[in-house]
Amino acid sequence: MRIAVLVGGIGGARFLMGVRRLPAEVTAIVNTADDLTLHGLRVCPDLDSVMYTLGDGADPERGWGRAGESFTVGSELAEYNAEAPWFSLGDKDLATHLVRTRMLDAGYGLTAVTAALCERWKPGVELLPMSDDRVETHVVVSDEDGRRAIHFQEWWVRHRGKIETDRFVFTGAAQAKPAPGVIEALRDADAVLIAPSNPVVSIAPILGVPGIREVLRSTSAPVVGVSPIIAGAPVRGMADRCLEVLGEPVTAQAVGAMFGPRHDGEGVLDAWLVDETDRNTTIDGLTVGSAPLWMSSPEATEAMARAALELVEVTA
Amino acid sequence: MRIAVLVGGIGGARFLMGVRRLPAEVTAIVNTADDLTLHGLRVCPDLDSVMYTLGDGADPERGWGRAGESFTVGSELAEYNAEAPWFSLGDKDLATHLVRTRMLDAGYGLTAVTAALCERWKPGVELLPMSDDRVETHVVVSDEDGRRAIHFQEWWVRHRGKIETDRFVFTGAAQAKPAPGVIEALRDADAVLIAPSNPVVSIAPILGVPGIREVLRSTSAPVVGVSPIIAGAPVRGMADRCLEVLGEPVTAQAVGAMFGPRHDGEGVLDAWLVDETDRNTTIDGLTVGSAPLWMSSPEATEAMARAALELVEVTA
């Protein structure tokens, strides 16, 4: 049995910890629109969060980066007045970026680089970037420095989203191609899951790569999304702030409706799994089910994934 | 008063600690033929040794690299089976290489990059790379893997010179141009000193950049060398092994004769300062003097520099 999952970073990584327990070949299609170039190094926060978490190298307390991390290089870079001191770059993490950047500079695509890094981490699922092409989420903001577009990481990490925000732009998305294997994984899957990741800046960029939305609408596999909103608040992260920028309510209903039904509509879903608290949610054209959605353990998360599959009558 | 000094790495740095105490504008012309690219980063061991030492950031015990250094990134790179695990790359040091590489990639020359790094370190002397062009010392060696050329750092750090060695080749030297300011510094100096650095792999590559030997032979400034050999052994490093490869004896006399007299000869020196132990040294065409050459303190080293200048009747 084959399952393909669209994921962002930390929430997506937690979700995969559960999905990985199912008796299935799992392919994760990971958002790369958070990626940035810092100090000449290509940094892929979502791919790395997933790789470290599934490879048992992530920091469970902090929620991002490597366990037992240190920040010596970053402190030194600050002494040189290097760019972006607000972005904490760990020493262990930096080695990953060095290896990745070197391979990219040598001409390998991000898919091949990710596979090479995974030889060390052995995540137990296939990790595919959404695209080998460069796509970056930029955010149009205004403050005393005027109206301008900043990188999503600057909006997220430096400003914590607390800046007047007009919109998100997926720079490069229109020209991007799905990474090798992405279309095949979605086409040939027995089920497709959308992880409870940030719908606005993790899942939407993946859907923004031409070809991915189309294959989700045409694949014979059922497509089930899992709500990242429980009782009007995000499970983690800043999905509430991102939805606010779009003028959308912070509800499981609104996010499900954003993704929308793929039959009788323009969307990508067959079914939508919400938390038990939100069990009264209804969305035209979608099968809506409920289950406990707190990813408190890999076992609990496996049960979530099974509940999602049951909504479309797939048994793992 | 202006003094120009040709230097290698650690020995050169120690020498400059003394020269810097003289009432003079000091320009150091630093060997860059030890430089290498590792993990995509441009590493300049001699420039950095000088910069860290004069900037009070060097490790005084170990003799190379930064004080309070850690090696987290390097350990992680080894986990990825990255290249050259024999080259210890410190975390603090790595920040320097990141800043340098980024600036080089942006199109700045090594001279400009070095000046930018020195804004932090304030070495108190002007540091000029011998060339902005890439020159690398390669070593022709033979072992069970056959006859081949390896980078000097591999010969030095990995093999400790203990491998059958045919010769040193300064790859790129013939095409290199002196860095901006080098010719002017040597031409306009009141005195030129050659530090007691490795004559074979630190000073010879500088002299191998077309134009530098010529200006040393034509400058109105007197040129004085300081012997890196005391009583038949190098002050530090592996000059003995390097001289052996050239078939030269490990003596203050032999090294002085290698540099040679610039009048009545093909060389670059007016005078040669040896240790008191070697006071009976004579070299045709050169004024030879003696003084204590152990660089035990900046004060002792200042006295050495003054003794060198006195040989050519320059008073600082």
Side-chain angles (χ1 to χ4, degrees):
Chain A
M1 166 165 192
R2 285 175 288 197
I3 301 177
V5 193
L6 307 193
V7 300
I10 298 162
R14 292 234 176 127
F15 186 64
L16 288 168
M17 290 288 282
V19 176
R20 182 171 66 167
R21 297 170 57 87
L22 299 174
E25 277 179 44
V26 178
T27 300
I29 296 156
V30 185
N31 172 44
T32 56
D34 290 7
D35 296 5
L36 73 168
T37 300
L38 268 185
H39 316 294
L41 302 176
R42 193 68 184 158
V43 181
C44 301
D46 284 1
L47 275 170
D48 290 348
S49 285
V50 171
M51 187 172 74
Y52 295 156
T53 300
L54 297 187
D56 202 21
D59 187 311
E61 305 292 316
R62 197 171 48 223
W64 55 268
R66 295 283 309 279
E69 188 57 291
S70 57
F71 295 88
T72 303
V73 179
S75 302
E76 284 293 315
L77 288 168
E79 292 288 330
Y80 282 118
N81 295 313
E83 65 177 336
W86 43 265
F87 194 93
S88 289
L89 205 53
D91 298 330
K92 291 184 176 184
D93 193 33
L94 196 133
T96 302
H97 310 323
L98 276 169
V99 173
R100 173 188 295 122
T101 303
R102 185 125 197 268
M103 287 190 72
L104 290 171
D105 286 350
Y108 291 94
L110 185 57
T111 304
V113 173
T114 303
L117 295 171
C118 285
E119 283 180 24
R120 172 177 176 196
W121 292 103
K122 299 180 180 29
V125 309
E126 187 178 25
L127 293 190
L128 296 180
M130 67 191 201
S131 178
D132 278 4
D133 299 319
R134 193 153 157 174
V135 178
E136 285 186 357
T137 302
H138 291 178
V139 191
V140 181
V141 299
S142 303
D143 64 5
E144 62 275 17
D145 295 332
R147 181 179 164 90
R148 63 196 189 282
I150 61 177
H151 191 285
F152 171 70
Q153 293 290 349
E154 185 170 355
W155 185 82
W156 179 268
V157 177
R158 182 182 192 180
H159 296 290
R160 299 275 155 202
K162 290 175 182 148
I163 181 170
E164 191 185 322
T165 303
D166 184 47
R167 63 201 162 95
F168 301 99
V169 181
F170 305 135
T171 306
Q175 293 76 39
K177 290 183 295 299
V182 166
I183 295 298
E184 294 79 356
L186 294 170
R187 191 190 59 202
D188 300 340
D190 295 296
V192 176
L193 299 175
I194 297 181
S197 296
N198 189 313
V200 181
V201 294
S202 294
I203 303 300
I206 304 177
L207 299 178
V209 176
I212 293 186
R213 173 178 287 273
E214 291 71 14
V215 73
L216 281 173
R217 288 181 53 74
S218 65
T219 180
S220 60
V223 182
V224 189
V226 179
S227 176
I229 305 294
I230 299 179
V235 175
R236 61 163 295 125
M238 302 198 293
D240 47 349
R241 177 66 182 120
C242 296
L243 287 164
E244 185 186 52
V245 169
L246 267 58
E248 292 284 347
V250 185
T251 62
Q253 200 277 339
V255 176
M258 279 173 60
F259 290 139
R262 62 175 187 153
H263 299 295
D264 309 316
E266 301 294 320
V268 295
L269 294 180
D270 294 301
W272 184 236
L273 185 69
V274 300
D275 187 68
E276 292 183 320
T277 326
D278 300 311
R279 72 172 67 84
N280 294 327
T281 302
T282 57
I283 302 170
D284 281 353
L286 288 186
T287 303
V288 177
S290 68
L293 293 194
W294 293 101
M295 297 186 285
S296 50
S297 68
E299 292 78 6
T301 309
E302 178 191 353
M304 277 170 60
R306 285 186 184 274
L309 295 174
E310 280 162 20
L311 277 186
V312 289
E313 294 168 5
V314 172
T315 308
Chain B
M1 167 165 190
R2 284 175 288 198
I3 301 177
V5 194
L6 307 193
V7 301
I10 298 161
R14 293 234 175 127
F15 186 63
L16 287 169
M17 290 288 284
V19 176
R20 182 172 66 167
R21 297 170 58 86
L22 298 174
E25 278 178 42
V26 178
T27 300
I29 296 155
V30 185
N31 172 44
T32 57
D34 290 7
D35 297 5
L36 72 167
T37 300
L38 267 185
H39 315 295
L41 302 176
R42 193 68 184 159
V43 180
C44 301
D46 284 1
L47 276 170
D48 288 347
S49 286
V50 171
M51 186 172 75
Y52 296 154
T53 300
L54 297 186
D56 202 22
D59 186 310
E61 305 292 316
R62 197 173 48 222
W64 55 268
R66 295 284 309 281
E69 187 58 289
S70 56
F71 295 88
T72 303
V73 179
S75 302
E76 284 293 316
L77 287 168
E79 292 288 332
Y80 282 118
N81 296 312
E83 64 177 336
W86 43 266
F87 194 93
S88 289
L89 205 53
D91 298 329
K92 292 184 175 185
D93 194 32
L94 195 133
T96 303
H97 311 323
L98 276 169
V99 173
R100 173 189 294 123
T101 303
R102 184 125 197 267
M103 287 190 72
L104 290 171
D105 286 348
Y108 291 93
L110 186 58
T111 304
V113 173
T114 303
L117 295 171
C118 284
E119 284 179 25
R120 172 178 177 195
W121 292 103
K122 300 181 179 22
V125 309
E126 185 176 28
L127 292 191
L128 297 179
M130 67 189 201
S131 178
D132 278 3
D133 300 318
R134 194 153 157 174
V135 179
E136 286 186 356
T137 301
H138 292 178
V139 191
V140 180
V141 299
S142 304
D143 64 6
E144 62 275 18
D145 294 332
R147 182 178 163 91
R148 64 197 190 280
I150 60 177
H151 191 285
F152 171 71
Q153 292 291 349
E154 185 170 356
W155 184 82
W156 180 269
V157 177
R158 181 182 193 180
H159 295 289
R160 299 276 155 201
K162 289 175 182 147
I163 181 170
E164 191 184 322
T165 304
D166 184 48
R167 63 201 161 94
F168 301 100
V169 181
F170 306 135
T171 306
Q175 292 76 39
K177 290 182 295 297
V182 166
I183 294 298
E184 294 78 356
L186 295 170
R187 190 189 61 203
D188 301 341
D190 296 296
V192 176
L193 299 175
I194 297 182
S197 297
N198 189 314
V200 181
V201 294
S202 295
I203 303 301
I206 304 178
L207 300 177
V209 177
I212 293 185
R213 173 179 287 273
E214 292 70 14
V215 73
L216 281 173
R217 288 181 53 75
S218 65
T219 180
S220 60
V223 181
V224 190
V226 179
S227 175
I229 304 293
I230 298 179
V235 175
R236 62 162 295 124
M238 301 198 295
D240 48 349
R241 177 65 183 121
C242 295
L243 286 164
E244 186 185 50
V245 169
L246 268 59
E248 292 284 347
V250 184
T251 63
Q253 200 277 338
V255 176
M258 277 174 59
F259 290 139
R262 60 177 188 153
H263 301 296
D264 310 317
E266 302 294 321
V268 296
L269 293 179
D270 294 303
W272 184 236
L273 185 68
V274 301
D275 188 67
E276 291 182 322
T277 325
D278 300 310
R279 73 171 67 83
N280 294 326
T281 301
T282 58
I283 301 170
D284 281 355
L286 288 187
T287 302
V288 178
S290 67
L293 292 194
W294 294 102
M295 298 188 282
S296 50
S297 68
E299 293 78 5
T301 309
E302 177 190 356
M304 277 170 60
R306 286 186 184 276
L309 294 173
E310 280 162 20
L311 276 186
V312 288
E313 294 169 4
V314 172
T315 308

